[in-house]
Amino acid sequence: MIRPYFGASETSMVTLYRKVAFSVGYAGVSPAGTLPGFTPLLRACAASATNTPAPAPTPNTVFAPVTDDIESLSIYATIDKRLYKMAGARGNAKVVCDAKAIPKWQFEFTGSFVPVEDVAAMPAVNYSAFQRPLGVNKLNTTFSIDGYTAAANSFQFDFGNQVVKQDLMNVDTTEITGRTSTGSVTFRDTDVATKDWLAMARTSAKVPLLLKHGQAATNTVSLSVPLAQIGKPTFSEVDGIHMITVPFRCIPSNAGNDEWSITV
């Protein structure tokens, strides 16, 4: 419709859904072999959880990417006695691990819309499944890439899930339709004799990468990438020291669903 005057036209809401983003401490468990509190969150981000409880020789939980039969979850958030619900939620996860800071999981979920409800009282909370995260420093954190132990001050990792909201005739779901896991790490640059990062980028070298946070028997998290493809580095300065930032892509083997693993 064309009108002879300025002004907004009416709109209609044609799809309803919810999104929520929040962070969780990047920490392990105690005792070893206990399922971490963030297990349901990672499973709804297209990851499997293989738990080996005590008294096994090496009790732990290993998270790995999956492609089929991706789980979902329901998220409840109570704010000022108002209950917000999200059903059938799936999402994406990131790891942010910076020196002299608390490392975090960063989650973003999309799910079905449920009307807001009033509640009589704020619910009780229980954080016993979550350990207090440790600060990122020499005492708690180690990082290696292609066998080189780097003096890193920043590490980021992104599951890279493609999350889509489907609202069709007879269908109202959130789906994960793809995954390209990537990351980057910033550390003190090296001489060429130690590592020629530019040459590795030119040849698209694929190298192992390991970030371990927490060095004791418990409260540890290890993130391993067997085939981290080196991207184009960039350079910066931190505290007057020359730094290099190396981006990477996580490449699966021919078996698939093995481009990374997270052991807690």
Side-chain angles (χ1 to χ4, degrees):
M1 179 177 65
I2 300 176
R3 300 180 301 192
Y5 50 83
F6 294 149
S9 298
E10 294 183 36
T11 62
S12 297
M13 189 171 293
V14 297
T15 183
L16 295 173
Y17 61 92
R18 287 199 187 282
K19 296 191 73 143
V20 63
F22 54 90
S23 62
V24 175
Y26 185 76
V29 297
S30 182
T34 307
L35 279 170
F38 50 77
T39 298
L41 301 174
L42 291 186
R43 291 171 73 163
C45 291
S48 63
T50 303
N51 179 248
T52 304
T58 309
N60 58 30
T61 302
V62 179
F63 297 93
V66 298
T67 297
D68 301 317
D69 302 321
I70 298 170
E71 297 183 29
S72 65
L73 80 167
S74 295
I75 298 176
Y76 288 24
T78 306
I79 304 173
D80 197 19
K81 298 182 182 180
R82 288 185 291 272
L83 176 59
Y84 298 82
K85 298 180 182 179
M86 176 190 294
R90 295 184 173 96
N92 187 49
K94 299 179 181 180
V95 175
V96 177
C97 191
D98 293 334
K100 298 185 288 186
I102 298 298
K104 295 180 180 180
W105 288 103
Q106 292 183 343
F107 293 102
E108 182 176 272
F109 286 97
T110 303
S112 298
F113 176 83
V114 179
V116 181
E117 302 175 20
D118 290 324
V119 295
M122 295 294 290
V125 294
N126 183 353
Y127 301 119
S128 60
F130 297 88
Q131 290 290 298
R132 184 183 298 275
L134 304 170
V136 180
N137 52 37
K138 179 182 177 181
L139 178 66
N140 297 324
T141 318
T142 58
F143 173 79
S144 65
I145 180 170
D146 195 27
Y148 173 70
T149 302
N153 82 321
S154 179
F155 177 88
Q156 297 189 14
F157 174 73
D158 187 344
F159 279 26
N161 292 336
Q162 298 173 23
V163 182
V164 298
K165 182 66 176 65
Q166 285 253 297
D167 195 352
L168 312 176
M169 299 179 189
N170 303 313
V171 171
D172 181 9
T173 62
T174 300
E175 307 289 346
I176 296 176
T177 59
R179 178 182 64 246
T180 302
S181 299
T182 61
S184 68
V185 59
T186 300
F187 53 92
R188 287 187 178 187
D189 200 3
T190 65
D191 53 39
V192 174
T194 300
K195 286 289 180 183
D196 191 344
W197 304 107
L198 291 174
M200 294 170 70
R202 288 201 310 270
T203 59
S204 301
K206 295 187 287 289
V207 299
L209 175 155
L210 177 65
L211 173 75
K212 183 179 180 183
H213 184 62
Q215 305 301 308
T218 59
N219 199 4
T220 65
V221 188
S222 295
L223 192 160
S224 174
V225 180
L227 299 173
Q229 186 176 49
I230 302 300
K232 180 181 178 181
T234 57
F235 302 93
S236 60
E237 183 179 288
V238 175
D239 298 329
I241 297 173
H242 187 57
M243 309 291 283
I244 184 171
T245 298
V246 176
F248 60 88
R249 295 167 66 90
C250 306
I251 308 300
S253 73
N254 291 334
N257 294 317
D258 57 1
E259 61 263 43
W260 52 261
S261 66
I262 297 166
T263 302
V264 179

